[in-house]
Amino acid sequence: MNLNNIRIVLHQPSHPGNIGAVARAMWTMNLSHLYLVQPKSFPDPIATKRATGAEALLEHAVVVDTLDEALAECGLVIGSSAQTRHLPWPILSPPECAQKAVQQASKQQVALVFGPERTGLSNEELQRCHYQVAIPANPAYSSLNLAMAVQVICYEVYGEFLSHHATEGVMRELASDAQLQSFYGHLDKLLDAVHFRRPSSSPDLIPKLKRIFNRAELDEDEINLLRGIFKKICNDPSI
Amino acid sequence: MNLNNIRIVLHQPSHPGNIGAVARAMWTMNLSHLYLVQPKSFPDPIATKRATGAEALLEHAVVVDTLDEALAECGLVIGSSAQTRHLPWPILSPPECAQKAVQQASKQQVALVFGPERTGLSNEELQRCHYQVAIPANPAYSSLNLAMAVQVICYEVYGEFLSHHATEGVMRELASDAQLQSFYGHLDKLLDAVHFRRPSSSPDLIPKLKRIFNRAELDEDEINLLRGIFKKICNDPSI
């Protein structure tokens, strides 16, 4: 049980005030690792002002250029979005999200990802996540402020953490996100090598396959096993 | 079950930005009745700006001079405060608070009261409430922003409200066991066709692969997709 293994990732936040409010929201719930992917303005005195008491989180925030960098060593990645998608991603409620995050954090790094204020996560960004978490909201107005959404999710995480001290299940250590992405690259090559993909193929082909393997929660041995099969199929040890 | 009977009461809020953020937080959670007791500045363009989409709540907000006026017709009054008191008040967790509020709201008016930003509710004000609700927070830094606290409590209230309605989760219809077994038969043939299996192969090979795909909880479309790939690999439509 280790909240230190849980990071909040803000993808392209526009408003420094929100970054500060997120830091405060996190720290009230005992979370302290903030990653910022291409923040529009950071550091910024407005962020510092809104952090009121949680300035240390901003000082230690990790600023990166790509979502990949923010997620690289994470075994579990959950993206927050209210929207349902053309290709539905496995959706967790906030308590389910908290449960998975806290459980997995006993083993390895976990990322909770929040998209830009106006648009939220794109389909492609959401598909980089293993799960989607959706905060139930008013169908007529579901637009939570970014920092509010972070507060709700962190509140659930901290509640789960508090309630969890007794029950530690047997946890598998999952493959890191980098290993998983490399596996997907290999799968992609396989489809080409066996000429499965055609011009007429659905653009959803790869996302559909990712959805399957995300649900499977692969560990490193399993990825090696599957890649061994892929290699044999392609008959090309270099792939 | 009537969320219209639940009001949020802000007692002496100082910052108009927080009033706007509270309105937005409430409306995302389907609550719309806001009472303001001696707000320092209201109406205020800063409040309107922060309400982004929930301006109607501000227009209909009821401004009063005393807490008594804001609570007069309420059958249940719950005050939010992180602090434990010299004279401990009956404390509810946020889910307990939500349960009581939603239950009581089917009968009569309910007030959820939040104190001034700096000091929170005084002992005397808290004792005007029937219960205290405390949001579990970091012992080292328990100071949630006012609007954040409102968001968390309203989130619990709305969740409680939803759980009383017939809860239809988004259930996927999974492949039948027969379909799954047939899929495993196909996988077995694939491994032979690509000569992946050798005499030295672990007897666990098939169980390991089954474990992966069992966790993936495949549906019929997904099985068809994977079998399509298998067929292409073997280049034998009869398999």
Side-chain angles (χ1 to χ4, degrees):
Chain A
M1 213 55 40
N2 184 358
L3 289 181
N4 268 323
N5 277 349
I6 301 181
R7 66 181 65 175
I8 299 294
V9 178
L10 302 185
H11 184 55
Q12 300 177 334
S14 323
H15 299 297
N18 281 335
I19 298 176
V22 162
R24 179 172 177 181
M26 288 171 61
W27 187 222
T28 61
M29 297 296 140
N30 230 330
L31 292 171
S32 49
H33 299 291
L34 176 60
Y35 281 66
L36 304 170
V37 183
Q38 297 175 3
K40 196 163 175 183
S41 174
F42 186 84
D44 188 300
I46 297 175
T48 308
K49 180 160 180 260
R50 286 283 289 282
T52 18
E55 294 86 355
L57 268 73
L58 296 181
E59 282 161 30
H60 295 107
V62 180
V63 180
V64 293
D65 281 330
T66 66
L67 202 48
D68 281 343
E69 288 169 82
L71 307 180
E73 64 271 47
C74 296
L76 175 67
V77 179
I78 303 177
S80 172
S81 170
Q83 298 163 57
T84 49
R85 307 292 172 138
H86 162 64
L87 178 71
W89 220 235
I91 294 195
L92 305 175
S93 69
E96 289 167 343
C97 162
Q99 196 177 17
K100 276 199 187 287
V102 170
Q103 272 179 359
Q104 205 61 38
S106 64
K107 278 278 185 194
Q108 63 194 138
Q109 295 285 320
V110 171
L112 305 174
V113 186
F114 297 79
E117 286 92 338
R118 264 166 198 271
T119 56
L121 293 172
S122 69
N123 281 329
E124 196 182 304
E125 286 150 6
L126 186 63
Q127 287 166 11
R128 281 288 284 105
C129 304
H130 309 157
Y131 295 94
Q132 173 178 352
V133 57
I135 298 172
N138 184 353
Y141 181 67
S142 62
S143 165
L144 272 78
N145 163 273
L146 170 59
M148 295 290 181
V150 172
Q151 181 77 66
V152 168
I153 298 298
C154 292
Y155 157 77
E156 287 286 4
V157 166
Y158 187 56
E160 175 68 21
F161 171 75
L162 290 177
S163 75
H164 211 270
H165 278 6
T167 56
E168 289 197 32
V170 181
M171 289 300 298
R172 295 163 58 236
E173 176 157 355
L174 304 184
S176 72
D177 189 65
Q179 290 168 329
L180 198 62
Q181 299 311 315
S182 164
F183 168 76
Y184 288 142
H186 197 160
L187 179 61
D188 204 56
K189 284 183 189 159
L190 171 78
L191 295 176
D192 285 336
V194 303
H195 308 292
F196 181 76
R197 203 163 3 196
R198 295 171 199 180
S200 64
S201 288
S202 155
D204 290 341
L205 173 62
I206 290 291
K208 279 181 179 168
L209 290 169
K210 285 186 178 178
R211 193 168 56 175
I212 292 172
F213 288 107
N214 282 344
R215 279 203 310 269
E217 302 191 331
L218 299 170
D219 61 33
E220 192 174 345
D221 285 347
E222 290 172 336
I223 283 189
N224 289 338
L225 170 61
L226 292 170
R227 292 184 76 156
I229 297 174
F230 292 0
K231 276 182 192 158
K232 197 73 196 176
I233 290 168
C234 299
N235 215 356
D236 177 356
S238 74
I239 291 188
Chain B
M1 213 56 42
N2 184 359
L3 290 181
N4 268 323
N5 277 347
I6 300 181
R7 67 182 63 175
I8 299 295
V9 178
L10 302 186
H11 185 57
Q12 301 178 332
S14 324
H15 299 297
N18 282 335
I19 298 177
V22 162
R24 180 173 177 181
M26 288 170 60
W27 187 223
T28 61
M29 297 296 141
N30 231 329
L31 293 171
S32 50
H33 299 292
L34 176 61
Y35 283 66
L36 302 170
V37 183
Q38 298 174 2
K40 196 163 176 184
S41 173
F42 186 84
D44 188 301
I46 296 176
T48 308
K49 182 160 180 260
R50 286 282 290 281
T52 19
E55 294 86 354
L57 267 74
L58 296 180
E59 283 162 30
H60 295 107
V62 181
V63 180
V64 294
D65 281 330
T66 65
L67 201 48
D68 282 344
E69 288 170 83
L71 306 181
E73 64 272 50
C74 295
L76 174 67
V77 178
I78 303 176
S80 172
S81 171
Q83 298 162 58
T84 49
R85 307 291 173 140
H86 166 63
L87 178 68
W89 220 234
I91 294 195
L92 306 176
S93 69
E96 290 166 344
C97 162
Q99 197 177 16
K100 278 199 186 290
V102 170
Q103 272 177 0
Q104 204 62 34
S106 65
K107 283 273 186 195
Q108 63 193 136
Q109 295 285 319
V110 171
L112 305 174
V113 185
F114 297 79
E117 287 92 337
R118 264 165 197 272
T119 56
L121 294 170
S122 69
N123 281 330
E124 197 182 304
E125 288 151 4
L126 186 62
Q127 288 165 13
R128 279 286 286 106
C129 305
H130 310 158
Y131 296 93
Q132 173 180 352
V133 57
I135 298 172
N138 184 352
Y141 181 69
S142 62
S143 165
L144 272 78
N145 162 275
L146 170 58
M148 294 290 181
V150 172
Q151 180 78 67
V152 167
I153 298 298
C154 293
Y155 157 78
E156 287 287 3
V157 167
Y158 187 56
E160 176 68 21
F161 172 75
L162 288 179
S163 76
H164 276 265
H165 285 18
T167 49
E168 288 185 40
V170 183
M171 289 299 295
R172 294 165 58 238
E173 178 159 353
L174 303 185
S176 70
D177 188 65
Q179 290 168 327
L180 197 62
Q181 297 315 313
S182 163
F183 167 77
Y184 287 142
H186 197 161
L187 179 61
D188 202 57
K189 284 182 189 161
L190 171 79
L191 295 176
D192 285 339
V194 304
H195 309 293
F196 182 76
R197 200 161 8 195
R198 295 173 199 178
S200 63
S201 288
S202 155
D204 290 341
L205 174 62
I206 290 292
K208 279 181 179 170
L209 289 168
K210 284 187 177 178
R211 193 168 56 175
I212 292 173
F213 287 107
N214 283 343
R215 279 203 312 270
E217 301 190 334
L218 299 170
D219 62 32
E220 190 174 347
D221 285 347
E222 290 172 336
I223 282 189
N224 289 338
L225 171 61
L226 292 171
R227 293 185 74 157
I229 297 174
F230 292 1
K231 275 181 191 159
K232 197 73 196 174
I233 290 169
C234 299
N235 215 356
D236 176 356
S238 73
I239 290 188

